[in-house]
Amino acid sequence: MTDTWVPLHQIQTPNLQNNLQYLQSRSHEAMQWLSNAYESEALTLQQSGASIRCRTADESLWIIGEHNPEQEIATLRSRLRSQAPTEGVWVILGGGVGYGAAEAAAQVIANEGVRVVVIEPTAARLMACFTMVDLRNGLATERLHFSVAAFTPEAVFDVLVSYNLFEHGAITFTASPECEALVDLNSLNAQLDARRGHWRRERESVLASTSRAKPDADVIRNVLIVNCWQNAPGELHLKSIETYLNEWGIKTHWLILNRYRMDAAGREYQRLAEPLLLDAFQRAQPNMVISYGYHAPQFVSEKVYASLPARWVQAVSNIAYYDQTQYPGELCVPIDRNLIPLFERRGYTQCLFQPIMADFVSPEPTPTDNSIPIIMVGNSLALPLAGQQAFWAQWQGRDRLLQAIRNAEKELSDFDADVDFYAYLNENPLPDINHEDEWYSIFRYLLSQGTAARRRAVLEKLAPMGLALFGSDWDAYLPQNSILRRCLKGYLPMTEEPKAFARGSVFVNIHSIGHQTAPNMRYFNVCGMGGFQISDRPQFDEYLTDGTEAVYANSVDDFAGKVKHFLSAKDERDEIRHAAHLRVSKDWTYQNWLENVIKKLGAKTPS
């Protein structure tokens, strides 16, 4: 930026790019505000020494820097620092083109007991904040919030309600200098107690009304689907479940939450999710809740949970998350039997093992033109290099533990070795573990790196035969000289996977080492669409019979030999894939999953 006045919409900074990229995966509401930000108010900015001046394009209003930019900025910062609470809620009216927002971010990072809301009168001023300051660290705490609203008491208190902040300590209001003329702080403070009391009475009324609701205890009629996996694999499983619920005459309703924010901030995100959940219950009155990958304690408090009369079901992935609390009545449905002891160790008492079922089941096996000899769809699962480095750094000085991790990684990475991931960890307990989170960190590392190494060993052997490898993380994992680089086809969205079935001859399935007693998501999907599959894990014969419904390999050379044979044995492939399609259609759909879950709950469907 030069000393000339530049319209805000012409300014593209690294800070803006970083902030927007962060918000795209975490805050659809903020992105909606920003989508028309430049039309909401025409702002121009000018660099003045080390400072930024800002005014409206028609020069009718100064935001900052009219007389002495440095002094105005110093005054703003001094005011904010002097009024910043060390705990409770701090509402800042006006972000000072980022100068105030930067102070807000610093406060939430420095004080875990503080939650800050920066309210701007226009989206353009909010955009200016994101343009000038990298706010990602503050946003990641889920204790720094932004909103666009008028500065009337009604609008300001509505913002506090939307972020569920009335129960989190004293509330302090501060107006930035550029917004003082728009704000009546005396009115805000005078109405605060009355508004807080009104909110509490409304909340108690809502909780009381939901707890009094007595839906039929036996028949499932309305289901709330909690989707933390928008545009990701978990969403596909939930949509498959919804299909069969609707076929049975059960109404479904969706609550969209954000797994990135939940993982990053836990209880703080629960605070944001609860009002959405209560609103969904009021609208839909569900008597069953299904979520994937996240238990109820991660998005609802026990008090609110107890007031919501519904059966709660949570289907989990192959990684046992940090969940260490189970609310009474919640059913945990892990996809591998070996996960049940891990959840029981965390206090879970109600578990039902169920495999991941088929998301895709075509009426007839998909015809294929055999234009791609071998297809593998799936990531390496390897941690990014920075993640690996951070993992190893945390164990420095703990030599016995470091050696145990290295030994485990070597054993678990050998595809030809008959090693059970869970049995290995039970038989070779990790030494010098201080708490459960450390054990989980190592569990996740070994699962990721062991899986990546095993997949690479097999796929490099298959590469010369015509392999097409789809996945988003292989480029970061593979060494530059790997033969697999010529096979990389990039990311294949799950919704596009059925198109691959019309082209491939042999589909290769190499499971993560976390799948020991039940298969991964593509095991049944390939067969549900009528594809021919060669898989590892011969023990999965209980799901699809070896030689008639699937083909299994138990070593790198065995894999290569069987792939080579079946590439030239079309009639055998067709016979096996047709039998597999029939079996999956009958036994391994989400209809089967739902029947088992509802039976476990002691419930019934309307039909």
Side-chain angles (χ1 to χ4, degrees):
M1 191 182 305
T2 66
D3 59 358
T4 59
W5 287 94
V6 181
L8 176 63
H9 69 268
Q10 293 183 7
I11 302 173
Q12 296 294 316
T13 66
N15 287 333
L16 179 61
Q17 293 173 356
N18 291 333
N19 287 325
L20 292 182
Q21 185 176 21
Y22 183 92
L23 291 170
Q24 280 173 350
S25 62
R26 288 165 173 80
S27 179
H28 298 296
E29 184 179 30
M31 293 304 297
Q32 187 174 2
W33 287 331
L34 298 175
S35 64
N36 65 347
Y38 299 122
E39 289 75 37
S40 67
E41 186 178 28
L43 299 180
T44 59
L45 295 91
Q46 179 197 58
Q47 184 148 5
S48 174
S51 304
I52 300 295
R53 309 169 78 198
C54 179
R55 66 188 182 192
T56 55
D58 62 6
E59 303 182 23
S60 62
L61 177 67
W62 278 87
I63 311 301
I64 200 163
E66 179 179 7
H67 302 295
N68 185 329
E70 289 76 13
Q71 184 58 51
E72 290 182 28
I73 293 165
T75 299
L76 170 62
R77 287 175 167 169
S78 176
R79 173 186 296 189
L80 292 177
R81 289 170 186 167
S82 68
Q83 297 187 23
T86 57
E87 60 182 20
V89 178
W90 188 21
V91 180
I92 303 175
L93 303 162
V97 198
Y99 292 111
E103 290 296 329
Q107 289 301 319
V108 298
I109 292 170
N111 299 290
E112 292 186 359
V114 173
R115 295 161 181 88
V116 179
V117 182
V118 178
I119 303 179
E120 291 282 16
T122 69
R125 299 194 200 184
L126 182 61
M127 181 69 85
C129 291
F130 289 123
T131 300
M132 296 300 138
V133 185
D134 189 341
L135 295 165
R136 290 175 296 172
N137 289 339
L139 292 168
T141 67
E142 293 298 340
R143 290 181 289 107
L144 173 62
H145 308 296
F146 289 86
S147 189
V148 177
F151 290 155
T152 63
E154 292 78 11
V156 171
F157 288 124
D158 282 348
V159 171
L160 291 173
V161 169
S162 70
Y163 288 121
N164 199 14
L165 287 169
F166 271 128
E167 280 191 326
H168 293 274
I171 297 176
T172 302
F173 296 103
T174 299
S176 289
E178 80 275 11
C179 293
E180 283 182 324
L182 304 174
V183 178
D184 185 349
L185 291 179
N186 291 330
S187 180
L188 286 172
N189 285 304
Q191 295 187 41
L192 177 57
D193 288 343
R195 294 300 182 110
R196 195 198 302 264
H198 176 72
W199 175 85
R200 285 173 175 162
R201 289 190 296 274
E202 273 201 342
R203 172 59 64 93
E204 291 303 320
S205 175
V206 169
L207 294 180
S209 66
T210 55
S211 63
R212 285 195 301 269
K214 300 288 185 183
D216 192 315
D218 295 325
V219 181
I220 303 298
R221 299 189 183 279
N222 290 284
V223 173
L224 177 64
I225 298 172
V226 181
N227 179 18
C228 306
W229 295 83
Q230 199 167 26
N231 302 318
E235 182 177 68
L236 192 61
H237 303 321
L238 292 172
K239 286 183 175 179
S240 300
I241 290 170
E242 180 184 43
T243 297
Y244 293 106
L245 288 170
N246 294 160
E247 286 184 2
W248 292 343
I250 298 172
K251 295 179 181 179
T252 51
H253 315 267
W254 287 73
L255 172 62
I256 308 297
L257 299 180
N258 190 297
R259 67 187 183 278
Y260 300 114
R261 299 172 69 179
M262 201 177 298
D263 291 345
R267 296 298 181 189
E268 288 298 327
Y269 187 67
Q270 180 193 97
R271 165 175 58 83
L272 302 172
E274 272 193 354
L276 303 176
L277 182 68
L278 279 172
D279 180 65
F281 261 82
Q282 284 188 292
R283 287 184 290 104
Q285 297 184 331
N287 60 347
M288 184 176 181
V289 180
I290 298 177
S291 67
Y292 183 90
Y294 294 92
H295 290 90
Q298 293 175 286
F299 53 85
V300 61
S301 66
E302 188 164 11
K303 177 184 177 181
V304 172
Y305 173 89
S307 75
L308 303 176
R311 291 175 168 85
W312 293 69
V313 178
Q314 196 271 320
V316 302
S317 69
N318 61 326
I319 294 178
Y321 288 95
Y322 287 106
D323 311 353
Q324 297 188 32
T325 304
Q326 184 180 36
Y327 294 154
E330 185 183 18
L331 177 64
C332 176
V333 187
I335 63 171
D336 195 285
R337 292 184 181 93
N338 289 298
L339 288 173
I340 292 178
L342 300 186
F343 282 106
E344 289 177 340
R345 202 161 80 197
R346 288 167 162 80
Y348 284 77
T349 58
Q350 300 181 77
C351 294
L352 171 67
F353 160 67
Q354 285 284 277
I356 295 177
M357 304 285 186
D359 298 297
F360 307 119
V361 182
S362 59
E364 298 293 335
T366 303
T368 176
D369 62 13
N370 300 303
S371 58
I372 302 177
I374 309 165
I375 293 179
M376 163 77 179
V377 180
N379 292 334
S380 72
L381 293 190
L383 294 178
L385 181 59
Q388 296 178 45
Q389 293 170 340
F391 172 82
W392 288 109
Q394 65 186 308
W395 317 116
Q396 294 306 310
R398 297 162 71 173
D399 294 343
R400 291 179 65 230
L401 180 57
L402 277 168
Q403 190 57 52
I405 298 172
R406 292 190 184 102
N407 292 342
E409 183 175 5
K410 183 176 184 298
E411 289 290 326
L412 297 170
S413 296
D414 184 358
F415 184 89
D416 290 341
D418 185 17
V419 178
D420 182 313
F421 177 49
Y422 302 94
Y424 180 91
L425 291 177
N426 287 333
E427 295 165 5
N428 300 273
L430 296 164
D432 305 328
I433 293 292
N434 295 326
H435 49 77
E436 185 77 3
D437 288 355
E438 289 189 344
W439 186 91
Y440 172 74
S441 176
I442 298 169
F443 173 96
R444 180 171 180 261
Y445 174 84
L446 293 174
L447 187 150
S448 299
Q449 300 306 111
T451 298
R454 291 166 65 90
R455 287 180 172 177
R456 176 185 166 192
V458 173
L459 295 174
E460 287 186 338
K461 191 82 171 181
L462 302 181
M465 302 183 198
L467 171 68
L469 176 56
F470 294 91
S472 60
D473 70 349
W474 286 97
D475 184 61
Y477 168 66
L478 292 172
Q480 289 302 314
N481 62 351
S482 172
I483 191 175
L484 287 179
R485 288 197 169 275
R486 69 181 70 168
C487 307
L488 297 181
K489 304 299 180 183
Y491 172 64
L492 180 67
M494 288 197 64
T495 54
E496 297 294 311
E497 284 185 21
K499 295 179 181 178
F501 297 115
R503 302 185 65 192
S505 297
V506 173
F507 290 85
V508 171
N509 194 352
I510 307 166
H511 288 80
S512 87
I513 60 175
H515 289 87
Q516 292 291 333
T517 67
N520 61 18
M521 58 189 297
R522 294 187 177 89
Y523 178 90
F524 290 130
N525 278 343
V526 169
C527 300
M529 293 299 292
F532 171 78
Q533 174 178 223
I534 299 181
S535 173
D536 61 347
R537 299 287 187 262
Q539 67 266 34
F540 291 166
D541 179 83
E542 67 176 292
Y543 301 106
L544 296 174
T545 305
D546 188 20
T548 59
E549 298 167 333
V551 174
Y552 299 98
N554 54 22
S555 72
V556 172
D557 288 340
D558 188 29
F559 230 119
K562 286 177 176 174
V563 168
K564 183 177 181 180
H565 167 76
F566 281 100
L567 281 175
S568 59
K570 183 180 182 301
D571 290 345
E572 288 183 65
R573 292 200 314 266
D574 286 345
E575 185 175 346
I576 290 172
R577 71 188 185 93
H578 279 75
H581 177 267
L582 186 63
R583 176 76 182 281
V584 168
S585 301
K586 176 177 177 291
D587 293 338
W588 303 117
T589 69
Y590 274 102
Q591 176 174 329
N592 306 98
W593 187 95
L594 272 170
E595 287 171 349
N596 294 333
V597 166
I598 291 175
K599 180 180 179 181
K600 175 72 174 179
L601 292 171
K604 302 173 184 176
T605 66
S607 58

